[in-house]
Amino acid sequence: MKEKLKDHFARYKNADVAYVSGGIIFLTESAAESYGKGPVTKITRAAVEKLDPEEKPLNDPSKGIQALTPEQVNAMDYNEMKAAVKERGLKVGNQNKETLRAALLAVAKKED
């Protein structure tokens, strides 16, 4: 997949983010959600460029649940927060962005 992502970013020079779903690379998150098969993973150009050939992406499901830092939580968009809450099996009162952020920040502080 790393080679596919490298090729993708070589072809789309203005794209700094790609979305992967079911082994297919999409330019937008909405396309990945609509046409992909499985969970949507956001991959940045910087992450692809600094990966070792044998290393898997940080958000690769085979690595298990990754620890969060408050900085990572604050950088997440709404859909990423929803996915992180679901992945960790957290129970939240509602799906508001601030509620999700508070739950994830609590987990991030506990992991420190």
Side-chain angles (χ1 to χ4, degrees), residues 8-92:
H8 170 81
F9 286 122
R11 285 184 285 129
Y12 298 97
K13 298 193 184 318
N14 291 332
D16 289 324
V17 176
Y19 298 90
V20 178
S21 179
I24 302 170
I25 302 170
F26 296 92
L27 289 172
T28 63
E29 185 175 15
S30 59
E33 289 173 352
S34 296
Y35 303 109
K37 304 208 181 335
V40 177
T41 305
K42 179 178 178 180
I43 308 287
T44 63
R45 179 186 295 271
V48 170
E49 290 173 353
K50 68 180 177 183
L51 284 177
D52 292 333
E54 300 299 314
E55 184 180 345
K56 294 185 184 241
L58 288 177
N59 49 5
D60 189 321
S62 66
K63 282 196 158 192
I65 297 175
Q66 299 296 307
L68 285 175
T69 64
E71 294 80 21
Q72 289 173 319
V73 173
N74 290 327
M76 289 179 173
D77 66 21
Y78 176 71
N79 289 326
E80 291 170 327
M81 282 190 239
K82 277 179 41 178
V85 165
K86 183 178 179 182
E87 181 178 289
R88 286 166 174 73
L90 300 176
K91 303 290 184 208
V92 291

